Amino acid sequence: MPTAAASAREILTRLHDVMASRTGAQGKLNAVVEIIGEALQSEVCSIYLLREGVLELFATRGLSQEAVHVTRLAPGEGLVGTIAKNVETLNLDEAAAHPDFAYRPETGEEAFHSFAGVPIIRRERAVGVLAVQHADPRRYEEVEIEALQTVAMVLSELISNAGLIDEAGVGAGTTRAHSTATARVGGFKLVDGMAAGAAVFHQPRISIEHTVAEDTEAERHRVYAAFDKMREQIDRMTSQAEFGVGGEHEEVLETYKMFAYDEGWGRRINEAIDSGLTAEAAIERVQQRTRMRMREIDDPLLRDRMHDLEDLSNRLLRIVSGQLGTAAQLGLRQDSILIARNLGPAELLEYDRRRLKGVILEEGSLTAHVTIVARAMGVPVLGRVKDIRRLIAEGDRLLLDVNEETLVIRPTLAMEEAFDAKLLITQKRRAAFAALKSEPPVTKDGHRVTVMVNAGLRDDVAALDITGADGIGLFRTEFQFLVSATLPQREGQKRLYKDVLDAAGDRPVTFRTVDIGGDKALPYLDHDENGEEENPAMGWRALRLALDREGLMKVQARALLEAAAGRTLNVMFPMVSEPWEFDEARALFESQRAWLESRGHKLPLQIRYGAMLEVPALAEVLDILFERLDFLSVGTNDLTQFLFAADRAHPKLAVRYDWLSPSILRFLKRVSDQARDAGKPLAVCGEMGGRPLEAMALIGLGIDRLSITPAAVGPLKAMVRSLDRAALMAAMPALLAAPPRDMRGALAAWASANGVELA
């Protein structure tokens, strides 16, 4: 089997001659599909290009020639449309079995079973699709898929030079006549705060003009030199960062430097150069693969950490291309609000903190490194603001209110005056939250609520000191597995767990065993025997996979037991469906404890075993399970989507995903009552507990242990200290017995009438 680089190089060598020829654009595309089809021994090779918002078949080998310029698919329609819309790769042994398959009789494709397609990307958007098909049902090898992805980059250059890019569809909103109209858009709260300033775009788009290398060694030396320069920049910036002493941001920057020196990243770029790409194209090629993989994994923590690699890729690309200009290098001349698709922590550090008042990101999330650093800098950040370049021009006046998750563009004078008045109030409120750091979360009637934080990395532990939280109620151990190129060894796992326990001190840490599989696939574990999962969230993942891969779980168990030597180890198992699964997992840990004890190893003083209630079926056997476990934790994110049969990531189902639905509250009330009767601690970990109104409802159900994002601790403490728990618990039975049409509104009204602080 040839390597991916060898396969791509063979194709690129032939494509180079095609691109250099005087043949017209159509003739070149016709030649391209023949070259790719022959090289991959594929009976069909087709190129679809985006024209006037529709994907049009431009060239094919194997399908009916009468279909060329006739067959058209809208983005999202059929397999080709799905690839373009999602900017993802498809590799199917039976195309017709895919739910998005759309048959086009004029193509004659009924004779072909297997299908593989990759997007042709220009300026981070799909401008076409390159697809291959074969009569026999088979999945294309990874080496073939990588060759297709590399060729798609070259095709992007070819069709751009030929004037075949549908600029109206690709660059929609990248340029526009300057508008003077006021506009208001929403986003997602990342770092609280308010800011006013002029719009500044972080960086211009980097245009890669040449993708095929003339001299591979010369390209390799260009990359080596760029790596050296980039690392010098990172070392200089991180050493000059000023935040004061201590804090999670310090370890964030160290982790960021680790990415910059990662040998695996450089090796992947070198492999892309070996395939025949220029230095710029090789960096972009690896960057595209990273983006595509992140789209396939529904794990926000992993996506957030990979943004650091995205930042470094952008930096490396700017260095090697000589396109070094960013707004930071040019300097901020006035109070500014920065706009970017995403940012890495080092890129943010380049800006003048006296002038940088806020940040708006097209992507971003609460656990991203840039969010952590921005919080340390005191810079408000609003994320997930779509199509921002279409709405804003450089220099536009902006009012950013992250607390309300809104951005006002080109405000009126009245809007400016109202904003200034609210800003003054917000500054006073922020000071009040900070003052609560050392105050216990005790209700007005004297009930102590336990408030813990969720974490997944060493640097997350610093949130305990910053917020005054009681401990870590959920430490997600899978991140170490997801970012590693190989299975983490026991010593590496042990070192991480011990560092977390050391940093937490006498505050408890609850470790959740690995929740991998399904949509969080590991490249170094073979999942082929399970096939493609249509519903990965409900598939072969978490404890199900861990019990099947007993060796993986044994290594983690031993690492946790050794790391917790001399202390209490709290460990819980994710996605338990039936008591026997918990029994098997606990027995595995106990067998490793006995093994270590027999060899004289120091052991934990106590081991507390818990389970996560995410699968509704488990609630029906809690009376059996409570006899075996020490504590129970409800994972509200998965639990709610399973109860509603509503994918929490699906935008059309968002209105059905309400934590204050009577069905959710009734379900949790039964669980709370059972836990109380059994004398077992019950906690909620997930976004539900981090929202003041939802957290108030949970306390009213008798749940007083919450594990939440660090950013939510201050507002949650304020809510708890303003709440009369006994009064709320007295009001809840009537609300649950005869639920009002608007439960959320009814609870908010109760809070307002009883002086509960929900801000």
Side-chain angles (χ1 to χ4, degrees):
M1 172 68 65
T3 64
S7 295
R9 186 166 56 246
E10 175 191 348
I11 298 173
L12 292 190
T13 300
R14 298 178 64 187
L15 288 186
H16 184 273
D17 295 335
V18 171
M19 294 173 68
S21 71
R22 295 184 178 181
T23 309
Q26 184 65 58
K28 288 180 178 179
L29 292 177
N30 292 341
V32 167
V33 294
E34 292 294 336
I35 290 170
I36 298 171
E38 290 174 11
L40 298 184
Q41 298 180 342
S42 189
E43 291 156 307
V44 174
C45 179
S46 305
I47 295 173
Y48 295 80
L49 299 184
L50 191 66
R51 305 297 295 168
E52 298 179 352
V54 177
L55 291 152
E56 179 179 319
L57 177 61
F58 253 71
T60 186
R61 156 198 163 110
L63 297 183
S64 172
Q65 290 301 316
E66 283 70 28
V68 174
H69 301 302
V70 172
T71 296
R72 292 179 174 86
L73 295 159
E77 182 182 12
L79 301 179
V80 168
T82 298
I83 291 169
K85 180 182 179 181
N86 299 334
V87 196
E88 67 178 3
T89 295
L90 285 182
N91 184 7
L92 309 169
D93 53 8
E94 187 56 71
H98 193 280
D100 293 325
F101 176 77
Y103 175 57
R104 289 292 184 268
E106 71 272 11
T107 63
E109 63 182 337
E110 64 271 11
F112 305 102
H113 292 268
S114 62
F115 174 94
V118 300
I120 302 169
I121 300 170
R122 184 75 173 176
R123 295 180 179 174
E124 301 177 18
R125 301 194 187 190
V127 296
V129 171
L130 171 63
V132 291
Q133 295 171 263
H134 201 274
D136 296 330
R138 74 172 181 96
R139 287 177 66 84
Y140 283 82
E141 299 290 340
E142 183 65 22
V143 63
E144 296 172 301
I145 297 297
E146 291 191 15
L148 283 176
Q149 291 170 331
T150 301
V151 170
M153 287 196 68
V154 179
L155 279 176
S156 175
E157 178 186 346
L158 188 155
I159 62 177
S160 177
N161 292 339
L164 295 176
I165 294 287
D166 184 0
E167 295 295 350
V170 178
T174 56
T175 60
R176 63 171 178 84
H178 182 71
S179 172
T180 58
T182 296
R184 185 188 298 268
V185 295
F188 181 77
K189 184 190 303 183
L190 296 180
V191 179
D192 276 340
M194 298 175 66
V200 173
F201 287 94
H202 170 58
Q203 65 183 46
R205 296 186 185 276
I206 298 175
S207 178
I208 299 176
E209 301 300 331
H210 302 291
T211 55
V212 181
E214 298 285 350
D215 183 340
T216 298
E217 284 307 309
E219 299 300 321
R220 198 184 320 281
H221 286 301
R222 291 177 63 214
V223 166
Y224 288 154
F227 262 106
D228 289 341
K229 186 171 183 178
M230 180 195 70
R231 288 163 178 165
E232 289 175 7
Q233 290 179 354
I234 300 303
D235 289 341
R236 184 171 61 254
M237 282 186 297
T238 53
S239 65
Q240 293 174 354
E242 298 177 359
F243 299 107
V245 179
E248 58 185 338
H249 50 273
E250 292 183 354
E251 291 196 30
V252 164
L253 296 179
E254 287 304 314
T255 304
Y256 183 83
K257 286 175 66 175
M258 178 189 72
F259 274 115
Y261 284 87
D262 178 54
E263 294 181 1
W265 179 37
R267 183 173 62 252
R268 290 190 292 275
I269 293 174
N270 264 318
E271 289 171 353
I273 290 175
D274 286 339
S275 73
L277 295 177
T278 60
E280 291 90 342
I283 297 167
E284 177 66 14
R285 171 75 184 84
V286 173
Q287 198 171 12
Q288 285 180 6
R289 282 185 60 80
T290 300
R291 290 176 191 146
M292 288 181 192
R293 188 182 173 211
M294 297 321 299
R295 289 189 182 98
E296 295 169 358
I297 299 175
D298 185 25
D299 184 272
L301 187 61
L302 178 57
R303 283 200 304 269
D304 296 338
R305 295 312 184 230
M306 294 308 287
H307 285 156
D308 290 354
L309 192 54
E310 177 90 354
D311 170 23
L312 289 165
S313 295
N314 290 333
R315 182 177 296 276
L316 190 64
L317 191 54
R318 290 200 300 271
I319 293 171
V320 81
S321 66
Q323 301 177 48
L324 298 174
T326 68
Q329 273 94 45
L330 297 174
L332 301 179
R333 295 180 176 83
Q334 58 184 316
D335 288 354
S336 303
I337 293 180
L338 189 65
I339 299 167
R341 188 176 67 81
N342 217 316
L343 284 172
E347 288 185 310
L348 187 62
L349 288 174
E350 288 183 311
Y351 285 90
D352 183 349
R353 292 172 61 185
R354 296 168 300 176
R355 297 291 192 187
L356 181 64
K357 299 301 179 182
V359 175
I360 301 168
L361 301 176
E362 292 183 74
E363 298 182 1
S365 77
L366 286 168
T367 50
H369 275 170
V370 69
T371 304
I372 294 170
V373 172
R375 191 178 299 119
M377 294 172 66
V379 176
V381 183
L382 184 69
R384 304 180 197 174
V385 183
K386 302 301 182 186
D387 297 326
I388 197 68
R389 288 179 179 269
R390 179 174 60 83
L391 300 168
I392 298 177
E394 188 91 15
D396 276 347
R397 178 69 174 170
L398 304 177
L399 300 180
L400 177 62
D401 187 345
V402 181
N403 308 298
E404 296 294 331
E405 299 185 327
T406 60
L407 169 70
V408 177
I409 305 165
R410 300 174 294 275
T412 64
L413 180 59
M415 288 177 172
E416 291 256 20
E417 291 174 349
F419 181 87
D420 290 341
K422 184 176 180 181
L423 179 59
L424 180 61
I425 296 172
T426 300
Q427 289 169 341
K428 293 179 179 178
R429 183 179 296 157
R430 187 182 302 126
F433 284 151
L436 291 176
K437 171 186 171 183
S438 302
E439 297 295 331
V442 177
T443 63
K444 288 169 64 176
D445 54 331
H447 187 82
R448 177 66 156 86
V449 175
T450 301
V451 179
M452 296 178 286
V453 294
N454 300 330
L457 287 175
R458 288 182 183 88
D459 49 275
D460 294 338
V461 184
L464 293 176
D465 293 326
I466 294 171
T467 63
D470 294 312
I472 296 176
L474 168 64
F475 190 90
R476 303 178 178 94
T477 62
E478 60 268 14
F479 178 68
Q480 187 182 22
F481 290 75
L482 290 165
V483 300
S484 178
T486 58
L487 188 68
Q489 299 300 304
R490 180 180 57 82
E491 278 301 317
Q493 293 186 51
K494 173 185 173 182
R495 188 162 53 249
L496 169 64
Y497 306 147
K498 186 176 185 302
D499 287 349
V500 169
L501 289 166
D502 288 344
D506 58 358
R507 292 163 294 196
V509 178
T510 299
F511 293 97
R512 182 178 72 183
T513 58
V514 287
D515 182 359
I516 55 175
D519 60 348
K520 290 183 279 188
L522 302 181
Y524 46 82
L525 287 185
D526 180 18
H527 297 274
D528 288 347
E529 70 270 18
N530 301 323
E532 292 291 327
E533 294 196 66
E534 292 187 11
N535 298 297
M538 296 186 288
W540 201 244
R541 56 170 277 211
L543 189 61
R544 300 168 181 175
L545 183 147
L547 290 176
D548 184 56
R549 305 275 186 171
E550 191 175 275
L552 182 152
M553 196 170 186
K554 282 183 177 179
V555 170
Q556 183 174 41
R558 198 175 301 174
L560 283 165
L561 289 164
E562 290 183 289
R567 324 181 221 221
T568 295
L569 172 62
N570 299 294
V571 60
M572 65 179 174
F573 308 119
M575 208 172 177
V576 178
S577 303
E578 298 186 72
W580 68 262
E581 293 175 319
F582 175 84
D583 292 342
E584 284 199 10
R586 177 170 181 159
L588 185 148
F589 264 75
E590 284 297 308
S591 70
Q592 296 308 299
R593 184 197 60 77
W595 187 90
L596 290 171
E597 185 177 36
S598 68
R599 284 157 178 76
H601 289 264
K602 191 176 179 182
L603 296 170
L605 298 177
Q606 179 187 13
I607 306 173
R608 298 178 69 248
Y609 294 101
M612 288 198 72
L613 173 55
E614 300 161 284
V615 181
L618 190 65
E620 299 301 320
V621 288
L622 284 179
D623 56 325
I624 301 172
L625 188 63
F626 277 140
E627 298 175 359
R628 299 157 157 83
L629 54 68
D630 297 301
F631 63 93
L632 184 70
S633 187
V634 181
T636 53
N637 295 356
D638 270 333
L639 174 66
T640 308
Q641 71 171 340
F642 293 155
L643 277 172
F644 281 133
D647 184 351
R648 55 181 163 151
H650 198 300
K652 291 185 178 180
L653 297 178
V655 294
R656 296 177 179 269
Y657 190 61
D658 187 357
W659 284 304
L660 295 181
S661 163
S663 56
I664 296 290
L665 297 180
R666 284 181 168 188
F667 182 95
L668 292 174
K669 181 65 167 67
R670 288 196 298 273
V671 172
S672 175
D673 290 346
Q674 285 184 271
R676 184 196 63 240
D677 293 344
K680 301 294 183 179
L682 173 68
V684 164
C685 56
E687 293 180 51
M688 181 178 182
R691 299 173 181 241
L693 184 61
E694 282 85 340
M696 184 193 81
L698 290 171
I699 293 171
L701 299 177
I703 301 171
D704 56 8
R705 298 175 65 86
L706 306 173
S707 188
I708 59 180
T709 180
V713 172
L716 186 62
K717 278 190 176 183
M719 182 277 290
V720 168
R721 292 173 64 83
S722 66
L723 174 67
D724 185 326
R725 176 176 178 266
L728 176 61
M729 293 187 74
M732 287 299 290
L735 288 172
L736 295 179
R741 187 166 186 174
D742 180 10
M743 178 68 84
R744 179 174 293 275
L747 286 168
W750 188 93
S752 177
N754 288 272
V756 180
E757 185 175 339
L758 297 178

